Amino acid sequence: MVQLGLAAFRADLIRETHSCLMEICGHKKEKELLAQGLAWVKHRDRNVEQEKLEKRRLVPYHQHINLELLDAVFLSSAMLLEIPLLAKQEIYPDHHYI
C-alpha cells in the first residue's frame, strides 16, 4: 500500500495518495506495520521464541522504505487536500464543508 501511495504522489494523484497512506501513517506505528523494526514492548512479556519470530518477520535493511519520506508525502498530501477547504471557509463562512 505504501508503494502505491508513493507512486500516486509521483503521478500527482493526491486523493489516492492520502487514502493509501492513511492506513499506515494514521497510527504512528509505521516501523512496526512495515516490518522495519520491533515494537518496544516490555521485553519481559515476550519469550525467546516470540522474539525470534518477530526478528524473522523483519524486512531486510536494503528493502526498507524511508520513513521520513513516507511521513513527508503523507503530510503534504493532507495539506494539499485541506488548504482549499480552509480557503473556501474563509470566503463562504456560512457553508459547511466536509
Side-chain angles (χ1 to χ4, degrees):
M1 267 323 258
V2 172
Q3 289 290 350
L4 287 173
L6 293 174
F9 189 76
R10 286 185 210 109
D12 294 330
L13 302 170
I14 303 302
R15 285 193 192 283
E16 288 80 3
T17 299
H18 189 70
S19 65
C20 286
L21 297 181
M22 172 113 40
E23 296 176 14
I24 300 292
C25 296
H27 303 293
K28 291 298 175 193
K29 293 182 178 182
E30 295 101 352
K31 192 176 254 190
E32 291 84 18
L33 291 174
L34 294 174
Q36 294 182 0
L38 299 175
W40 290 100
V41 186
K42 296 178 184 175
H43 291 289
R44 60 182 164 210
D45 292 344
R46 292 187 294 192
N47 59 20
V48 178
E49 286 298 318
Q50 286 176 332
E51 194 166 334
K52 283 182 183 178
L53 286 173
E54 285 184 26
K55 285 185 181 180
R56 198 175 309 143
R57 185 181 65 87
L58 294 178
V59 174
Y61 183 74
H62 68 279
Q63 293 179 341
H64 281 197
I65 296 172
N66 187 348
L67 297 178
E68 291 176 2
L69 172 69
L70 179 65
D71 200 33
V73 168
F74 174 67
L75 293 175
S76 297
S77 66
M79 180 182 65
L80 289 170
L81 292 173
E82 282 292 319
I83 288 177
L85 295 176
L86 293 174
K88 283 182 184 178
Q89 286 179 348
E90 289 289 323
I91 296 170
Y92 306 109
D94 296 336
H95 293 93
H96 298 287
Y97 299 100
I98 296 176

